[in-house]
Amino acid sequence: MEHNEGGIATILVAEDDGSIRVVLKATLRSAGYRVVEASNGVDAFALAVAEPPTLVLSDVMMPGGSGQELLAALRADPRTADLPFVFLTGLDEREVRIMLAPSTRAASMSSYADDYLTKPFRPTELLSLVRAQLQRFARRSEQRLRLEAEARQLREFDSVTGLPNRGTFVDRLSRGLAAGGEPVVASLALGQLPALRQTLGQGPADEVMREGANRLLDSARSRLGPSAVLARSGEHRFALAVEGVEESAVETLLRDVLAPLAEP
């Protein structure tokens, strides 16, 4: 379940009938949910933008901003576009299905409600629907976060070695320099890799590059400390940046860092 403040899911109720709002609020609070309420779509939208809830329950027909207008406004705002939205309606099932059917709506598919509940309803029906929507939203959020992490990995890291790529290395180096750092930067190369790739193919060459990256990273961290940054900067090249090293000691340190590459 997705949670808001204090680990409690927040449900926004938009309903112009005060007696129905009382029932909704009591039912939802009895199940441990936090409830915020509005009597029309305009006020409900303002509440949602000020403090995005976990789920929206909205009547369809309301003065001062209908449920459909509320839905369209929420879907159009990046802060609330992904919120689960459920209509509460006195329309019969056939009318609701027509209202929500993709082929009959002028708006894009992103304007659809996630579900609906017809009035009158039993408390158990309401709570079952809310739980189902929160679980669905949690799964959707987890999937989105996973995809965002994968996209970031592809954007900032080399797919073969897992090291930062050239762009990420340059960005980190620039930030370090802007903060007053004075890193020593070295370029390292696996000189035989192009010939190996030509002879054995891409797969074996990638394995060599991956093994070389692992050895260099372990060696750099053990000899230079955790502040050392190693990146893949080219087809068979690595870039290494390290702070606090005297220029006179660089050649000896690099020899030590490269030593594991000579091991079988």
Side-chain angles (χ1 to χ4, degrees), residues 11 15 60 77 85 101 110 143 147 154 158 160 189 220 233 241 251 264:
I11 313 297
E15 169 61 65
V60 176
D77 193 307
F85 190 103
S110 62
Q143 182 182 36
L147 291 174
L154 291 173
D158 175 57
V160 174
S233 57
E251 187 174 344

Side-chain angles (χ1 to χ4, degrees), residues 26 40 62 71 75 119-120 141 188 191 213 232 264:
N40 59 69
M62 293 181 291
L71 173 60
R75 292 291 188 250
K119 308 171 190 175
S141 298
L188 314 173
R232 185 175 183 180

Side-chain angles (χ1 to χ4, degrees), residues 7 31 33 60 94 99 118 159 178 204 233 239 262:
Y33 299 116
V60 176
R94 182 176 177 278
M99 183 180 67
T118 55
S159 60
S233 57

